[in-house]
Amino acid sequence: MKLPSRLLSIGALGAALLSSTAAFAHGDVACPNEPKAEWRPQMELQRQLVDKGWRVRQVKTFSTCYEVYGFDDKGERVEAFFNPKTFERIQPSAETAPSPKK
């Protein structure tokens, strides 16, 4: 009956790999440590982004940032992070800037 224990080991390894991949999607986000009482509402950020031409699918809290999933004003899919007090966009340090178009 070694087969079930091997399957469990393979399943555990697969689950560990999947969870670590999800963590890398965020890169290294340096979220500010703003007091919760000073955070502005998520809906206010969403309205502001929609007014700028974004299509926002979801806004949620990630660490001490707001994380936004959707499409920016150019129609490109984005996962963006914002300071919850100032709504300043925070770039993950692992994210590289797009190369300029010629």
Side-chain angles (χ1 to χ4, degrees), residues 22-23 26-37 39-40 42 59-69 79-85 90 92:
H26 292 116
D28 185 18
V29 181
C31 296
N33 195 11
E34 304 286 2
K36 266 273 206 216
W39 287 24
R40 293 161 59 188
Q42 289 181 358
V59 180
K60 63 182 189 177
T61 302
F62 170 77
S63 184
T64 57
C65 289
Y66 285 150
E67 182 176 16
V68 176
Y69 294 92
E79 175 184 3
F81 300 89
F82 294 87
N83 179 317
K85 179 180 176 182
I90 300 167

Side-chain angles (χ1 to χ4, degrees), residues 20-87:
S20 66
T21 319
F24 288 125
H26 292 116
D28 185 18
V29 181
C31 296
N33 195 11
E34 304 286 2
K36 266 273 206 216
E38 296 178 10
W39 287 24
R40 293 161 59 188
Q42 289 181 358
M43 187 56 77
E44 187 179 337
L45 172 62
Q46 183 170 341
R47 277 193 300 268
Q48 190 177 81
L49 292 172
V50 167
D51 288 346
K52 291 180 180 180
W54 285 45
R55 286 186 300 142
V56 177
R57 298 183 61 98
Q58 183 180 22
V59 180
K60 63 182 189 177
T61 302
F62 170 77
S63 184
T64 57
C65 289
Y66 285 150
E67 182 176 16
V68 176
Y69 294 92
F71 299 86
D72 65 13
D73 58 338
K74 297 174 186 109
E76 295 181 19
R77 179 183 237 163
V78 293
E79 175 184 3
F81 300 89
F82 294 87
N83 179 317
K85 179 180 176 182
T86 65
F87 293 160

